[in-house]
Amino acid sequence: MTSGIRPYWRNFIGGEWVDGADGTRITVTDPATAEPIAEVARGTPADIDRAVRAARACFDSRVLRDQRPHRRGDLMLAVAQELGKAADEIALLECRDNGKTLANGRAEVALTQRYLTYYAGLADKLEGRQIPLGDGYVDYTTHEPYGVSGQIVPWNGPLPVGARSIACALVTGNTVVLKSPEDSPLSLFLLAEACERAGVPAGAVNIVCGYGHDAGAALAAHRGIDHIVFTGSVETGKSVLRAAAENVVPCVMELGGKSGAIVHADADLDRAAASAARGIFNHAGQICSAGSRLIVHRSIHDELVAKVRALAAARSVGPGIDGCDMGPLINARQLDRVEALCAAGRAEGATAILGGSRLEGTKGHFMQPTIFTGVRPDMRIAQEEFFGPVLVVIPFDTPEEAIAIANGTDFGLAAGVYTRDLRLAHWTADRLVAGQIYVNEWWAGGIETPFGGMKRSGYGREKGQEALLGYVQTKNIGIRL
Ligand code: NAD
């Protein structure tokens, strides 16, 4: 085990730190070295059941929902403050169990605090309507919490993804059972500690690490949950939805993407190149909204590709803890998958003008920054999500063709457009089928802007004010005076 990281972590259920019901453990490895760094208690269906009961008891006690809403906001402010005290430890954990760079690890703590404080501020602003029914009646609506929110989180950004769902759930009076990702569970334990220190009532937040097919499936199918927030792949999302359908449980589904940026001929190419490189190589492309397709006007294709290639080639690849620009993929399976998809691209006739394979000479799961040209929209590499540092470049001749290419996948999470022409920017944004459109900067927006998918990328929104509406149900109260 490695110094600086605690060797063993327990799950947080009903305000207590507990071993797994069957005493087994999950070994967590560092993707930069493939060495074990810690063990966590393995949550099983029995642990999930215990956590759901704790969350139900807390919800039924009405300890959260009977409070003045701003008090629930105060609680989130306190969690944000407590989390800040663990910022250095969390940044280290995100490097070691997740493969992030130290800068990214620190940024994730700040981002998580922003989620907590943002939803703290909204706690007392979710208002109902008064509906006029004429003389003798008073009618109004309220936003009721669902009850126990079951939340399943992916490995690529567990802390902010988990915290934003927890914050939305708690400020609206729900309670939470969160299944943390088996590959990178550690930072969420520090969020649980921050909740404990901040005085979040026992049972309001329960965090259980376990395997997806086991603990995850048990949570999705549990009869005692009232609401599901799932962030992960489309295939897993479908199985969660089947389980939810059995219990008629509403879901927020945040699934994958194959997001494309259109670069028109008049774009600022230096700006577009820098933005495109950041959009795909940040966290080695393991971001659902990564800009993984560059759809480029043929007249500027070669010049733009040369600029992006130079930026990509300048990135140092290696452990984030050593200050490198791009860390590893999360595990060997993911590295194999990304490499195999690159091989499929070559077999279909595309050219890797940079990278295209793993970094040799290391036990870590490092993929080289990769750029493919000569890509047709129907190729597998233009259709399937890599979830790795692989950019595919597709040329176009007319704006209509660019839209057809951009919209021509199953996904619809994010899309972008680069142009100096405001009319063309708006024309393009209007026709792109995606939940978020970025104009002249990939990831323009923030925690304040609603985020979520269209088509197979899912439904429901996280971030922004819209997210809160996914955690409440409307009740109408009609009164005959
Ligand atoms: P995944 O679907 O394999 O796993 C996500 C979570 O689901 C994990 O906690 C896993 O343990 C759990 N899980 C696995 N099988 C399950 C089952 N049968 N029932 C219930 N839970 C189960 O995804 P991943 O590989 O961890 O993450 C990568 C995927 O997530 C990518 O497709 C990416 O685009 C997507 N993602 C989306 C967003 C978003 O906001 N839209 C954010 C991050 C990641």
Side-chain angles (χ1 to χ4, degrees):
M1 300 298 165
T2 309
S3 66
I5 293 187
R6 301 175 220 172
Y8 176 55
W9 304 70
R10 293 182 171 82
N11 289 318
F12 187 61
I13 300 178
E16 293 174 10
W17 295 93
V18 297
D19 294 315
D22 69 1
T24 56
R25 298 180 177 192
I26 292 174
T27 301
V28 180
T29 58
D30 181 341
T33 61
E35 298 287 339
I37 52 169
E39 290 182 322
V40 302
R42 176 182 160 219
T44 61
D47 296 289
I48 292 291
D49 183 58
R50 180 174 172 183
V52 172
R53 287 173 194 280
R56 168 65 52 201
C58 182
F59 181 75
D60 288 347
S61 76
R62 300 183 67 100
V63 59
L64 280 178
R65 66 185 291 196
D66 282 353
Q67 280 180 358
R68 291 289 287 262
H70 74 88
R71 291 274 175 229
R72 297 197 290 266
D74 291 346
L75 209 49
M76 292 303 98
L77 293 179
V79 174
Q81 199 168 19
E82 291 300 328
L83 194 76
K85 295 176 185 167
D88 288 343
E89 191 179 357
I90 294 173
L92 175 74
L93 293 185
E94 291 293 21
C95 263
R96 299 306 306 275
D97 82 344
N98 201 315
K100 289 189 190 294
T101 62
L102 264 180
N104 270 356
R106 290 206 182 91
E108 296 241 315
V109 180
L111 178 70
T112 302
Q113 288 180 297
R114 285 274 290 120
Y115 276 125
L116 293 163
T117 56
Y118 178 79
Y119 288 110
L122 285 179
D124 55 0
K125 295 170 188 67
L126 198 59
E127 296 165 353
R129 287 200 297 142
Q130 189 271 322
I131 300 168
L133 290 181
D135 186 41
Y137 293 92
V138 172
D139 191 285
Y140 60 95
T141 64
T142 59
H143 294 297
E144 302 266 315
Y146 280 106
V148 178
S149 176
Q151 306 182 348
I152 300 174
V153 171
W155 48 262
N156 64 324
L159 184 68
V161 171
R164 72 188 182 200
S165 300
I166 288 174
C168 284
L170 262 54
V171 299
T172 49
N174 297 278
T175 59
V176 174
V177 177
L178 183 147
K179 206 291 285 174
S180 59
E182 57 271 39
D183 281 311
S184 58
L186 303 184
S187 57
L188 278 169
F189 289 127
L190 291 189
L191 179 64
E193 288 184 0
C195 288
E196 187 180 31
R197 287 197 302 272
V200 171
V205 173
N206 305 273
I207 294 189
V208 182
C209 180
Y211 292 115
H213 65 270
D214 183 32
L219 180 58
H222 202 292
R223 188 70 187 85
I225 59 167
D226 307 297
H227 176 247
I228 290 178
V229 183
F230 174 79
T231 307
S233 62
V234 177
E235 281 315 307
T236 308
K238 287 182 195 170
S239 93
V240 167
L241 281 171
R242 283 190 285 272
E246 201 55 44
N247 293 325
V248 196
V249 168
C251 298
V252 176
M253 303 302 287
E254 297 281 1
L255 306 177
K258 187 75 179 176
S259 303
I262 296 173
V263 188
H264 288 291
D266 70 333
D268 177 335
L269 295 194
D270 286 324
R271 192 167 163 181
S275 195
R278 183 170 159 262
I280 185 62
F281 299 120
N282 191 12
H283 196 21
Q286 301 165 103
I287 299 178
C288 51
S289 54
S292 52
R293 294 182 299 149
L294 201 55
I295 302 161
V296 187
H297 192 268
R298 204 176 295 278
S299 65
I300 50 157
H301 177 278
D302 293 356
E303 188 182 351
L304 182 65
V305 167
K307 287 178 189 292
V308 180
R309 187 188 184 287
L311 291 168
R315 292 207 161 214
S316 56
V317 181
I321 202 109
D322 296 342
C324 294
D325 299 325
M326 199 178 91
L329 301 188
I330 190 70
N331 55 35
R333 184 169 37 88
Q334 184 63 7
L335 180 58
D336 289 345
R337 211 184 70 78
V338 170
E339 246 193 351
L341 200 46
C342 286
R346 282 192 291 268
E348 285 183 295
T351 305
I353 59 156
L354 184 71
S357 59
R358 71 186 61 205
L359 198 67
E360 297 296 347
T362 164
K363 282 199 288 178
H365 313 304
F366 295 99
M367 180 73 195
Q368 298 183 63
T370 295
I371 301 174
F372 273 100
T373 56
V375 178
R376 288 190 319 273
D378 62 336
M379 287 180 178
R380 279 185 62 200
I381 56 170
Q383 292 290 326
E384 296 180 26
E385 186 182 37
F386 276 94
F387 222 56
V390 183
L391 181 68
V392 302
V393 187
I394 308 172
F396 72 86
D397 292 302
T398 66
E400 291 77 11
E401 186 190 359
I403 295 290
I405 295 168
N407 289 341
T409 75
D410 280 346
F411 296 102
L413 189 56
V417 51
Y418 295 86
T419 174
R420 290 184 168 96
D421 179 343
L422 191 53
R423 181 178 289 274
L424 182 59
H426 181 69
W427 183 93
T428 308
D430 192 41
R431 282 158 180 76
L432 288 170
V433 183
Q436 285 214 328
I437 310 296
Y438 308 126
V439 179
N440 288 334
E441 180 183 272
W442 199 260
W443 291 315
I447 63 152
E448 310 89 338
T449 53
F451 177 85
M454 294 182 179
K455 300 196 287 184
R456 299 288 188 282
S457 292
Y459 47 79
R461 292 292 175 266
E462 294 286 358
K463 307 186 183 180
Q465 297 184 28
E466 283 78 357
L468 279 189
L469 298 175
Y471 292 76
V472 291
Q473 47 196 338
T474 300
K475 178 186 276 182
N476 187 80
I477 298 170
I479 304 174
R480 181 75 169 101
L481 296 172

